[in-house]
Amino acid sequence: MKPSQNLPMMENSRLNLLAMNAQEIEALVGKFGWPFFKTKQILQWVYQHRTRAIESMSNLSKKDRHQLQAVADIGRAPIPTVTESWDGTRKLLFSLENGLMIESVLIPESTRLTLCISTQVGCTVDCGFCLTGQMGLKRNLKAHEIVDQVMTAQDLLHDGQRITSLVFMGMGEPLANIEAVTEAVSRITNTQWGLGIPPRRITISTAGLAPRLQSMAGLGVNLAISLNATTNKQRDYLMPMVNKLHPLPELLQACRNYPLDPGRRLTFEYVLLRGENDSPEDANRLIQLLRGIRCKINLIPFNEFPGSAFRRPSDAAIQEFQNILRHAHYDVFLRKSRGRDILGACGQLGNLLHEVASPIIRQGVI
Ligand code: SAH
Ligand code: SF4
């Protein structure tokens, strides 16, 4: 059989099973003249057993495996470079074609294990406080490149460990790559043959592409909005592109209109930047802005990176900001900065391994 021209091919003109969706694999099985239950078996080998070789698909006959091997590969990403922080955080650096790179971060906490994954190489948006934003957009990731980050992280886990939360908070703006993100979520949550991670354990974070919030609702995942400012002027300065397109009032209206399931709430993320958005007046404005929205607030003290003019507020200022919100009965969490020494913390992900990260990796802890 000749591989069909509109199916995802690898550089060597062979089919890439990981890049094919379930319907495409089913079409291939149909072309082979195999019974359709083989589709699920192949998908289970790829996603649940995470096999890298068609040869190991032991419930296919030898003849079937040969037929599949003749036209297809599984197409997993090469093993990433893993850097470990003193605090146990591991950064996975994946090499894509053309020298492009993306990063995922695996963050262990006492009873939790969070994986933070990327959706773009660089980012469509240009937030001034974010290293990824400074790279510009190199390209969108494809669905399988998003899923592969999760599978590769699973390969690295110790016995008995499992990912308890998956956050789309690495490089890139997920809602600027919505088609691939949607397909990736469906493979990640599928319990029949996919990774089977429950949607309630997944959070997608957006810089605020207001008209696209609605399209997240059907996925059943949690939604986080990076607010980061309490006035339109402030947001114009900190997040110029997204706020020009969808100013603060429009974004808040979209949040109010978001169809939240009972028992769910939105998360608002707020990067605290010294002298920019960290005053008690800001905290009070935030209370007013979020009034009536079922939500919690994650405060993220700015993670510094070389070349940035922004600074992290003092611990006292951070504490005061949090106290003001608490007194207004908001659930407020302070995001601990994990993996800062390996530039693995929020906003520190960028394609700068050689320029920035390697001296730090060599030094170990900073
Ligand atoms: N693009 C999406 C998701 C990736 S950014 C978004 O913006 O929501 C994930 C989080 O990191 C966002 O809340 C963002 O505001 C925050 N962030 C970006 N740069 C940061 C930095 N230098 N320090 C702390 N948080 C940062
Ligand atoms: Fe992109 Fe999010 Fe960074 Fe803004 S904060 S530049 S949207 S990754």
Side-chain angles (χ1 to χ4, degrees):
M1 186 211 103
K2 279 223 162 86
S4 153
Q5 285 201 318
N6 44 23
L7 289 175
M9 316 281 265
M10 322 241 317
E11 271 168 15
N12 56 7
S13 314
R14 291 164 57 75
L15 291 172
N16 178 348
L17 293 182
L18 195 67
M20 291 162 76
N21 61 30
Q23 293 72 33
E24 288 167 337
I25 295 200
E26 187 166 73
L28 181 64
V29 164
K31 273 189 191 162
F32 283 147
W34 293 355
F36 280 113
F37 68 82
K38 298 216 173 179
T39 305
K40 189 170 164 192
Q41 290 179 332
I42 296 173
L43 289 165
Q44 283 174 332
W45 280 109
V46 172
Y47 293 96
Q48 296 185 338
H49 301 285
R50 300 194 303 278
T51 182
R52 289 174 179 266
I54 291 171
E55 183 52 38
S56 8
M57 298 184 174
S58 54
N59 54 2
L60 300 187
S61 69
K62 249 199 155 93
K63 183 168 153 272
D64 290 352
R65 276 180 263 164
H66 281 151
Q67 195 172 356
L68 190 55
Q69 266 171 333
V71 294
D73 293 303
I74 296 180
R76 292 286 308 274
I79 308 291
T81 306
V82 181
T83 322
E84 184 156 353
S85 159
W86 62 272
D87 66 12
T89 300
R90 286 188 281 177
K91 181 157 94 166
L92 282 52
L93 185 71
F94 292 88
S95 297
L96 309 176
E97 73 284 4
N98 303 329
L100 296 178
M101 288 179 173
I102 50 161
E103 295 168 332
S104 317
V105 188
L106 201 48
I107 310 154
E109 286 157 292
S110 54
T111 56
R112 290 156 56 99
L113 182 60
T114 302
L115 176 67
C116 175
I117 57 172
S118 297
T119 54
Q120 299 184 308
V121 188
C123 187
T124 308
V125 185
D126 62 348
C127 307
F129 50 82
C130 175
L131 184 56
T132 310
Q134 300 193 357
M135 289 172 62
L137 176 70
K138 308 284 186 225
R139 74 164 170 84
N140 278 332
L141 291 187
K142 301 184 185 101
H144 72 278
E145 293 170 322
I146 299 173
V147 183
D148 206 345
Q149 295 172 63
V150 185
M151 295 166 70
T152 303
Q154 288 176 326
D155 288 341
L156 294 174
L157 300 183
H158 314 299
D159 280 348
Q161 260 191 329
R162 69 186 176 92
I163 293 165
T164 57
S165 340
L166 176 64
V167 298
F168 286 63
M169 295 186 187
M171 296 167 72
E173 167 51 39
L175 299 199
N177 186 15
I178 209 156
E179 218 175 289
V181 166
T182 304
E183 171 64 20
V185 168
S186 87
R187 295 187 205 180
I188 289 168
T189 54
N190 185 297
T191 50
Q192 301 294 306
W193 50 260
L195 304 187
I197 299 181
R200 62 170 192 288
R201 295 193 175 272
I202 301 177
T203 301
I204 296 188
S205 175
T206 176
L209 299 185
R212 299 190 179 185
L213 297 194
Q214 286 286 337
S215 48
M216 287 291 102
L219 299 182
V221 300
N222 302 301
L223 186 61
I225 296 102
S226 301
L227 203 64
N228 298 342
T230 59
T231 68
N232 215 27
K233 189 164 166 233
Q234 219 175 37
R235 207 166 193 270
D236 262 342
Y237 172 60
L238 298 175
M239 308 173 76
M241 178 191 291
V242 73
N243 203 58
K244 290 239 159 58
L245 283 170
H246 308 293
L248 191 56
E250 181 190 339
L251 174 59
L252 288 165
Q253 193 53 49
C255 294
R256 287 179 197 284
N257 294 344
Y258 188 76
L260 268 178
D261 284 341
R264 292 285 189 95
R265 44 191 184 164
L266 293 175
T267 299
F268 286 97
E269 295 171 287
Y270 193 95
V271 180
L272 283 166
L273 302 155
R274 181 185 294 195
E276 301 291 346
N277 64 0
D278 63 339
S279 68
E281 294 73 41
D282 283 303
N284 284 311
R285 268 196 298 267
L286 191 55
I287 291 169
Q288 297 310 324
L289 290 177
L290 301 185
R291 205 103 298 140
I293 305 181
R294 216 158 66 227
C295 66
K296 60 176 175 163
I297 303 169
N298 276 350
L299 297 178
I300 320 176
F302 175 62
N303 292 312
E304 299 188 0
F305 55 85
S308 172
F310 292 111
R311 291 286 164 259
R312 188 185 181 87
S314 67
D315 287 348
I318 296 170
Q319 199 57 57
E320 190 182 358
F321 200 93
Q322 187 176 16
N323 287 343
I324 295 172
L325 299 174
R326 285 226 164 115
H327 280 128
H329 306 295
Y330 281 96
D331 274 336
V332 193
F333 301 90
L334 194 60
R335 177 89 58 81
K336 278 192 235 128
S337 294
R338 302 290 306 266
R340 262 202 288 170
D341 55 315
I342 52 168
L343 289 186
C346 292
Q348 292 186 316
L349 304 183
N351 196 0
L352 296 170
L353 180 71
H354 302 296
E355 292 160 46
V356 179
S358 43
I360 294 171
I361 292 165
R362 279 200 298 275
Q363 285 165 15
V365 183
I366 50 168

